[in-house]
Amino acid sequence: MKRHFLEIAYLGTNFSGWQMQPNKVTVQSTIAEKLSTIYNEPITCLGCGRTDSGVHASQFFLHFETDKNVPVNFLYRMNKMLSQDIVIHRIFECDKHARFDATYRSYDYFIHFKKSPFLEPHSFFFPYSPLDYEKMYKAFDMLNNYIKFKPFEKSKSDSKTSICRIYKTQISINEAKHQMKIHIAANRFLRGMVRRIVGALIMVGKDKITLEEFKTVMDHQGTFSINIAAPAQGLFLTEVRYENFCGI
């Protein structure tokens, strides 16, 4: 069996996340259906992660296996069958596992403070500014001191461990455009983790959660007094890396 990787991107607005679910349209089920049509056999694909409903990906990898060679004009045919919400950038052979061999993942979360019909589908409109950016910087930077992130894990998660290795945390402010970008990179993320981190940071910026509470909750792996997840539309999976990757 040959293992093929696809590098794709998608707008998650019209999908119930990546993961295949009964009676729901997901990115995984949509791509598997088109692959099965092109190869004329049942194809199952496995992704580098599981984005939630409404979450986007500007870079995402998946793999599938088949004995057959890549059909002629594969990219053209796949992209023609798929809606504008998904694009297939390339296909290549690789023996790695799309999910378990990924060593680096990064997410960007976009927030805008001035109403805009053009940003709304891809960014979270938060009109309740101003925020205390300095406190948000300090809280976000604080996460680099920890390896366990149970306070940000989605309830009823099936993760066996809450350990994650954080590689980078950064907040970028564009005051002229009234926009903010929150960037975080790690080896792995818990389910719902990024959106809950963003939610906590916003509460810190609004003085609803103090820096002392933030540190105490992280030290004891407890629960925040206000525990919210930022809306899905502002979140993008932006980069995935593998060691000695044959796709480079």
Side-chain angles (χ1 to χ4, degrees):
M1 297 283 281
K2 298 178 182 178
R3 176 169 291 183
H4 297 284
F5 262 60
L6 294 183
E7 181 182 354
I8 72 171
Y10 57 84
L11 189 65
T13 306
N14 297 320
F15 296 100
S16 297
W18 159 262
Q19 189 84 355
M20 192 175 294
Q21 302 175 56
N23 304 316
K24 291 188 177 181
V25 178
T26 67
V27 181
Q28 184 182 32
S29 61
T30 300
I31 293 179
E33 177 188 354
K34 305 309 181 188
L35 287 172
S36 299
T37 298
I38 282 186
Y39 280 94
N40 196 30
E41 67 178 15
I43 296 289
T44 300
C45 55
L46 298 173
C48 60
R50 296 183 295 182
T51 56
D52 289 338
S53 177
V55 175
H56 320 293
S58 54
Q59 183 179 59
F60 191 96
F61 290 99
L62 63 92
H63 79 251
F64 66 94
E65 295 180 341
T66 178
D67 286 328
K68 298 180 179 179
N69 294 323
V70 177
V72 176
N73 296 325
F74 173 83
L75 292 180
Y76 171 79
R77 293 170 62 188
M78 281 290 292
N79 284 316
K80 186 176 182 180
M81 287 192 295
L82 291 166
S83 69
Q84 292 295 321
D85 299 322
I86 305 175
V87 60
I88 312 295
H89 288 306
R90 58 187 177 126
I91 182 172
F92 53 92
E93 285 190 34
C94 190
D95 60 0
K96 291 188 178 295
H97 191 287
R99 180 182 176 188
F100 298 132
D101 288 333
T103 58
Y104 181 104
R105 298 169 174 87
S106 71
Y107 283 91
D108 285 344
Y109 193 93
F110 296 92
I111 301 173
H112 60 288
F113 305 106
K114 185 176 181 180
K115 187 175 180 180
S116 169
F118 306 107
L119 294 175
E120 187 66 26
H122 321 115
S123 177
F124 170 40
F125 175 45
F126 187 79
Y128 310 106
S129 57
L131 296 173
D132 190 326
Y133 298 140
E134 288 302 317
K135 288 183 179 178
M136 293 177 70
Y137 294 149
K138 291 178 181 178
F140 204 23
D141 184 63
M142 202 183 296
L143 295 184
N144 291 283
N145 300 324
Y146 300 93
I147 61 171
K148 293 184 179 180
F149 295 89
K150 188 70 175 177
F152 301 116
E153 188 171 14
K154 192 173 185 178
S155 61
K156 299 181 181 179
S157 172
D158 58 358
S159 296
K160 293 182 174 60
T161 175
S162 64
I163 294 176
C164 305
R165 185 186 300 274
I166 301 294
Y167 296 136
K168 185 177 181 180
T169 56
Q170 184 178 37
I171 297 178
S172 303
I173 308 294
N174 189 326
E175 293 186 359
K177 293 185 176 181
H178 308 280
Q179 295 175 24
M180 171 189 286
K181 181 177 76 172
I182 297 174
H183 175 85
I184 184 168
N187 66 325
R188 65 186 289 267
F189 290 92
L190 307 175
R191 290 195 65 188
M193 177 174 166
V194 179
R195 290 169 59 196
R196 280 167 170 74
I197 288 176
V198 173
L201 291 178
I202 291 174
M203 291 300 100
V204 168
K206 291 298 293 181
D207 289 324
K208 301 294 185 181
I209 295 176
T210 65
L211 289 174
E212 290 76 15
E213 178 187 348
F214 195 93
K215 184 178 186 302
T216 298
V217 170
M218 289 305 299
D219 285 345
H220 298 281
Q221 293 294 287
T223 302
F224 291 101
S225 57
I226 302 176
N227 194 359
I228 62 171
Q233 75 264 25
L235 184 59
F236 285 75
L237 174 62
T238 54
E239 186 179 5
V240 183
R241 299 180 191 174
Y242 302 82
E243 290 185 1
N244 304 315
F245 193 34
C246 39
I248 296 176

